[in-house]
Amino acid sequence: MSEYKRPTSEAAFHQNFEQIKPLMNDTEAYYESSRCLFCYDAPCIKACPTGIDIPLFIRQINTGNLKGSAKTIYESNHFGNVCGKVCPTEVLCEGACVYNEQNVKPIEIGRLQSHSTTKAIQDNTKLFTSLPENGKKIAVIGAGPAGIAAACELRLFGYEVDIFEAKAQPSGLALHGTAPYKITNAEVLEEMQYLEAQFGFNTHYNKKINSAAEARELEEKYDAIFLGIGLGGTRSARIEGEDFENCEGATEFIETLKLAPLKAAVGKRVVVIGGGNTAMDAASESSRMGASEVTLLYRRAKEEMPAYEFELDLAKGVGVRAVFNVQPLAVLGDGKVEGIRSIRTESKDGKLSNIAGTEFDIACDMVIKATGQEKQRNFLDTLNVAYDNSGRIEVDEHFRCGKTKYFAAGDAVNGGAEVVNACAEAKKAAQGIHQFLS
Ligand SMILES: Cc1cc2nc3c(=O)[nH]c(=O)nc-3n(C[C@H](O)[C@H](O)[C@H](O)COP(=O)(O)OP(=O)(O)OC[C@H]3O[C@@H](n4cnc5c(N)ncnc54)[C@H](O)[C@@H]3O)c2cc1C
Ligand code: SF4
């Protein structure tokens, strides 16, 4: 049973979606940074996909050198602020912190990272100087974490960079997807403004690159093209009734919630299908939006669930009920969701099967499908860029797409991971472009 009331004002929305990793004040940051053991061969660095020198930036905070600490972070990760708040630190840097071995709370690395980078953003601290223009131009398709990280890195080498973004706002799923209790939209956009001012790339919004003609034009005009296009809309659940009113894809539901929270339609009794992190987010968010009953249905056992354990705990903490080994069969209703029919499943020798005669119905007025995101195969065909059987762009060790002038990174290449992975890969891809053009 949810404890939340449907928010009817911005203030009530922010109260329901209170930050789970709030900003530290200077005293808290000082004491927390004092706890760090500044380990030799620090495991926290190895666990960070962008390899931030974590003990160094923590020591810089501790000695009052906030500018230096922000530089240490941004040198490795152009999305230093967003990542401080949305990274699954529990399974990355903080999960690797040596304090865990002593059953002591690990250093709050994410919150320290946010402390230092927020100060740099608020003061518009100049940290980087790009090389003089080198006369070459790069087009970036997609202003998500991958596209923006690539643009920052390319500007450091002196390339002119034009980003083409389909949507009206930047930052991809960091803005349109991440849970509002992890980061506010304002924080995501402030980091983007900071990066734009710092690095000087050009972003063209509402500019979806769609056709072969547009692609050929970019190929002629630019020396290389970086693809940071991410993934597509929610994949079909392939069940009867999924086109009914109030049956929605999770990414679409979350995007509406993030852009117009007070207009987002949330049912009273919500069923979420899926066992990934997006399913956990959609369930938590429905509950915080005032749904009185939220049920998660996952077709396999709890141990097989792809979502992180802490994400499930977050959902359970706001009243979500999780049911495992259940396969949805059909959305029930007369053109509008009235319930969902499911069947129990079992795993034998790794094979999942339905248990005959165990069908049951749950009454609900909304179904959210968190069944994964489509790949952008049609667009890649238009570009003549190769992809594997599961639709992921094929790249070499420099993130180049075959022998073309295309390079790619982020979700479109890794199939869907985290913001920090997109940033780490995009930085390497930008270095690959520089090597290719040098
Ligand atoms: C609901 C949800 C919650 C998430 N929560 C977290 C989290 O808490 N922590 C975390 O680390 N990660 C989270 N992730 C994952 C993370 O957001 C992604 O891994 C990351 O944003 C990938 O970055 P990207 O740049 O590769 O793709 P995206 O962020 O998807 O950006 C791609 C951009 O390209 C644009 N684009 C696509 N095609 C075109 C085209 N043809 N022309 C022009 N522009 C185009 C899109 O509009 C978009 O802006 C979440 C994902 C989802 C779906
Ligand atoms: S592992 Fe923990 S204690 Fe050691 S350097 Fe990293 S954050 Fe500090």
Side-chain angles (χ1 to χ4, degrees):
M1 194 72 172
S2 167
E3 62 185 85
Y4 295 95
K5 285 204 176 71
R6 189 180 164 86
T8 51
S9 65
E10 287 272 327
F13 175 79
H14 288 299
Q15 203 174 358
N16 285 14
F17 286 84
E18 198 182 4
Q19 297 297 294
I20 54 173
K21 288 185 186 170
L23 285 174
M24 288 176 167
N25 60 34
D26 289 344
T27 314
E28 285 169 319
Y30 175 73
Y31 281 111
E32 187 60 10
S33 59
S34 308
R35 287 207 304 128
C36 180
L37 302 170
F38 309 113
C39 308
Y40 170 74
D41 210 17
C44 54
I45 303 180
K46 291 191 190 134
C48 172
T50 59
I52 296 176
D53 191 338
I54 292 165
L56 175 62
F57 95 68
I58 294 181
R59 184 177 286 277
Q60 287 166 319
I61 291 178
N62 193 247
T63 53
N65 179 7
L66 275 188
K67 182 176 175 186
S69 73
K71 182 143 195 208
T72 303
I73 294 162
Y74 277 117
E75 263 170 358
S76 293
N77 183 348
H78 294 297
F79 258 57
N81 190 257
V82 165
C83 284
K85 299 208 119 199
V86 309
C87 257
T89 52
E90 294 82 349
V91 294
L92 295 174
C93 53
E94 293 175 17
C97 178
V98 293
Y99 274 121
N100 292 297
E101 287 164 29
Q102 299 155 20
N103 271 335
V104 174
K105 188 168 80 92
I107 302 291
E108 291 193 71
I109 301 169
R111 288 183 71 203
L112 285 170
Q113 186 166 314
S114 302
H115 177 74
S116 139
T117 49
T118 299
K119 178 89 175 108
I121 292 169
Q122 280 171 353
D123 295 351
N124 198 14
T125 310
K126 180 87 181 145
L127 295 176
F128 296 97
T129 312
S130 301
L131 290 177
E133 298 275 338
N134 66 17
K136 290 185 177 145
K137 292 171 74 166
I138 316 291
V140 170
I141 306 184
I148 297 168
C152 295
E153 193 72 9
L154 288 162
R155 286 291 301 129
L156 286 177
F157 292 121
Y159 295 97
E160 189 182 331
V161 180
D162 284 320
I163 309 184
F164 300 94
E165 168 54 49
K167 293 190 195 270
Q169 294 191 87
S171 304
L173 286 169
L175 179 72
H176 301 92
T178 53
Y181 45 81
K182 291 185 184 167
I183 193 164
T184 64
N185 290 359
E187 285 169 320
V188 177
L189 294 173
E190 278 159 17
E191 181 164 58
M192 174 65 182
Q193 276 165 13
Y194 175 64
L195 295 174
E196 234 166 0
Q198 188 95 187
F199 293 95
F201 47 81
N202 314 304
T203 318
H204 309 275
Y205 295 106
N206 300 310
K207 188 79 190 85
K208 183 168 183 162
I209 305 299
N210 242 338
S211 65
E214 283 169 304
R216 298 299 92 83
E217 201 184 316
L218 294 185
E219 286 165 22
E220 270 168 37
K221 206 166 149 199
Y222 293 90
D223 296 283
I225 301 169
F226 174 82
L227 296 174
I229 56 173
L231 304 171
T234 300
R235 227 183 347 234
S236 160
R238 283 190 249 140
I239 55 172
E240 237 177 81
E242 69 171 312
D243 54 341
F244 285 178
E245 196 183 324
N246 291 351
C247 179
E248 233 189 306
T251 43
E252 292 75 14
F253 164 71
I254 293 171
E255 181 167 338
T256 310
L257 177 94
K258 294 225 48 191
L259 296 183
L262 301 182
K263 289 194 186 140
V266 182
K268 281 198 162 50
R269 301 172 85 183
V270 179
V271 167
V272 179
I273 306 174
N277 292 318
T278 299
M280 304 304 132
D281 282 1
S284 281
E285 288 161 17
S286 302
S287 191
R288 286 170 194 263
M289 284 298 285
S292 53
E293 208 178 284
V294 182
T295 310
L296 253 172
L297 301 182
Y298 179 52
R299 64 201 174 105
R300 294 181 180 276
K302 185 176 171 216
E303 305 70 52
E304 296 172 277
M305 194 183 66
Y308 299 123
E309 185 91 32
F310 73 86
E311 294 280 14
L312 174 62
D313 290 343
L314 268 178
K316 282 168 136 178
V318 292
V320 173
R321 182 172 72 110
V323 188
F324 299 97
N325 280 113
V326 164
Q327 173 74 54
L329 295 175
V331 177
L332 308 174
D334 187 10
K336 194 170 175 182
V337 174
E338 286 172 16
I340 188 160
R341 176 156 302 152
S342 308
I343 188 165
R344 299 258 168 216
T345 66
E346 61 183 345
S347 285
K348 264 196 198 143
D349 305 325
K351 262 189 94 181
L352 191 73
S353 56
N354 296 341
I355 306 173
T358 61
E359 291 86 349
F360 64 100
D361 297 345
I362 298 177
C364 61
D365 54 8
M366 184 173 197
V367 171
I368 301 176
K369 298 174 290 174
T371 39
Q373 290 174 262
E374 298 273 11
K375 305 289 185 332
Q376 303 226 46
R377 288 183 175 86
N378 289 346
F379 182 51
L380 297 176
D381 288 338
T382 306
L383 301 179
N384 281 328
V385 163
Y387 49 86
D388 67 13
N389 286 341
S390 56
R392 291 177 301 195
I393 300 177
E394 287 182 331
V395 291
D396 67 13
E397 70 273 28
H398 303 295
F399 292 87
R400 186 176 173 197
C401 311
K403 297 279 171 236
T404 69
K405 58 162 67 173
Y406 286 96
F407 287 71
D411 279 4
V413 172
N414 62 35
E418 311 289 344
V419 172
V420 70
N421 303 95
C423 295
E425 293 167 14
K427 193 177 173 71
K428 288 186 196 141
Q431 289 160 359
I433 292 176
H434 184 51
Q435 199 180 18
F436 167 66
L437 294 176
S438 298

